[in-house]
Amino acid sequence: MGGSITKRVPEIELMKAIAIVGMVLVHVLEGSMSVFLNAWELPGSIPYTIVEFFGCIPAAGAFTFAMGWGAACSKTATTRSFLKRALILGLLILYVNFMYAILPMLLDPQNFGSFFDSPWILIGFNIYSFGTVSMLFFALLKKFDDKPAVRAGICIAAFVIIFVVDIIAVPGKYAESDNQWLASVIGFFVRQNEYSWFPIVPWGIFPIFGYGAAHLYKKWNNRKKFAWTAFIAGAIAMPACVIANNVLGLPQGAANPAWIEDGMDYYALSPINVICALGILCVEMAVCFAILTLTKGKLHWLISDMSHYVMFIFCLQWVFISPMFVVLIHVTDIWTNLLIGVVTLVVIIVVTEIYKKIRTGKMRT
């Protein structure tokens, strides 16, 4: 397992599989608002803490990191294919916003409010919005395939610009007016309100980091060496950030990520939080390498399918979760919520396997 790289990277596949688990469980958790908002005051908050952690950076962070990794490793991708993917993801923005925010309003307007009171949710910046911007960025980089120095310069410049803007930007500063449409548009770039979920600042850093990490991975051509380097880097970054936050008292600028204090606003990561998040991803990648080494490939059949159909699963989950919001809002027990989340996850995986067999023709009669 410590030899040369393969066409598909098992560590990334396992990270995406873990991200799917965290994503589904945390979205179900969000439906039980009394649990989600008051979990720290409830007895038995350990399962909440675990779900919140894995539904945070190991989910959204891993997905966005994997976007960059995939763009760097794909041998068949072209500028045209990146633009095509950007268009498809762009069209899916309305689907996700409808399923996540509008459908519960239509099913239960008493508890979820009226769509007409907050129509700007149509353009809420979700993961597909972010993915669209990322694909456009990778389409630009593809233009410089024969100029690696230029590609590296563009990535470094984008990384630095996003990091600096994250230091300067103050979440909510531009959302004080009554014009929520304008606030939501600004929310494409920086965290402004509850309808700005994955703003470019700071989330644009993650695919760039993934893109650079993948190129380093290919250059070294050694999984074990890369895993150890990732572990050391992450093991240094995480405690350093905790010290910076809690001991030295450095300002965080934006909201805390979910694993520290406020799960509702983890999307607005400060620069210190971003470094900590990147450290978490590095350690996770090393842990995934260790797990795959110990299991000797026995998990690969499952994680391969989950990784390959990750975007299908992301769309599919809302078909089950969104209608359940009208029931979940009345759930006040974290263990009940967790059970619902696990059952939902199993159903989604089973449906995905059925979809795979239909698509590959293995269910023909």
Side-chain angles (χ1 to χ4, degrees), residues 290-357:
I291 291 173
L292 291 167
T293 300
L294 292 173
T295 57
K296 299 179 180 180
K298 294 179 181 179
L299 293 176
H300 194 260
W301 69 272
L302 176 61
I303 65 173
S304 177
D305 283 351
M306 293 177 71
S307 172
H308 183 72
Y309 292 100
V310 62
M311 298 310 283
F312 172 78
I313 293 174
F314 188 88
C315 286
L316 179 65
Q317 66 169 327
W318 298 117
V319 174
F320 297 99
I321 296 175
S322 293
M324 285 198 304
F325 279 165
V326 299
V327 176
L328 289 169
I329 196 171
H330 302 293
V331 174
T332 58
D333 176 63
I334 180 62
W335 291 104
T336 301
N337 179 280
L338 185 59
L339 176 62
I340 295 172
V342 171
V343 172
T344 303
L345 178 65
V346 172
V347 171
I348 289 172
I349 292 175
V350 170
V351 172
T352 301
E353 285 297 310
I354 294 173
Y355 170 76
K356 172 198 171 185
K357 291 181 178 180

